[in-house]
Amino acid sequence: MLQCVRGTCTEAATAGLGYDIVRTMAWIYDLDAATMAGARRNRDVVVPLCPMHADRIRVPLGWDFQDQRVAEPKPEPMPADITEPLFEPRSRPEPEALAEPLPQEQPSMLERAFRAAPVRGR
């Protein structure tokens, strides 16, 4: 499998870029084994590109551009009239009302020791 020719891209090439300078036109097509074999026999220039770079390709001003790639089928959206939830939401228990206030916490032993220690330098 070919690798995309753009800069430091390491993705696999899925599209080929072809161009004709005399007719000022460029085209992108799906890149597969049969296409590569035909291009090698005809000595055509094949510029392999990954999907991201193929989608971003721009041609010079005034050139004709043809995207000959076959679009992948998109997944069908879910019908909007679904009445049953896909999952049951978890129920959260209600916080219990506190009948009596929380008791005041006693200071820790370390806090009491520091309070009783004399302060130096004053």
Side-chain angles (χ1 to χ4, degrees):
M1 194 65 175
L2 293 176
Q3 185 175 343
C4 181
V5 297
R6 297 296 302 262
T8 59
C9 184
T10 58
E11 296 295 317
T14 60
L17 171 67
Y19 55 89
D20 186 348
I21 296 173
V22 175
R23 291 189 221 151
T24 62
M25 62 183 303
W27 55 92
I28 288 186
Y29 51 91
D30 287 325
L31 197 58
D32 56 7
T35 305
M36 287 304 299
R40 286 192 185 116
R41 279 195 303 272
N42 296 332
R43 303 197 190 288
D44 292 339
V45 175
V46 175
V47 181
L49 297 170
C50 68
M52 182 182 70
H53 287 118
D55 290 339
R56 292 182 175 179
I57 198 76
R58 299 290 178 258
V59 296
L61 191 62
W63 280 46
D64 291 325
F65 179 71
Q66 297 174 358
D67 191 345
Q68 301 172 354
R69 294 177 289 172
V70 177
E72 293 181 15
K74 295 184 179 180
E76 294 181 21
M78 298 268 305
D81 61 343
I82 294 179
T83 56
E84 296 180 20
L86 297 177
F87 61 92
E88 291 295 323
R90 287 190 264 173
S91 61
R92 177 182 281 181
E94 294 294 323
E96 297 177 20
L98 297 174
E100 20 182 286
L102 293 174
Q104 294 290 332
E105 289 188 26
Q106 299 246 341
S108 69
M109 186 183 291
L110 188 60
E111 289 175 345
R112 287 183 292 188
F114 277 116
R115 282 190 204 155
V119 179
R120 289 188 189 176
R122 285 192 184 178

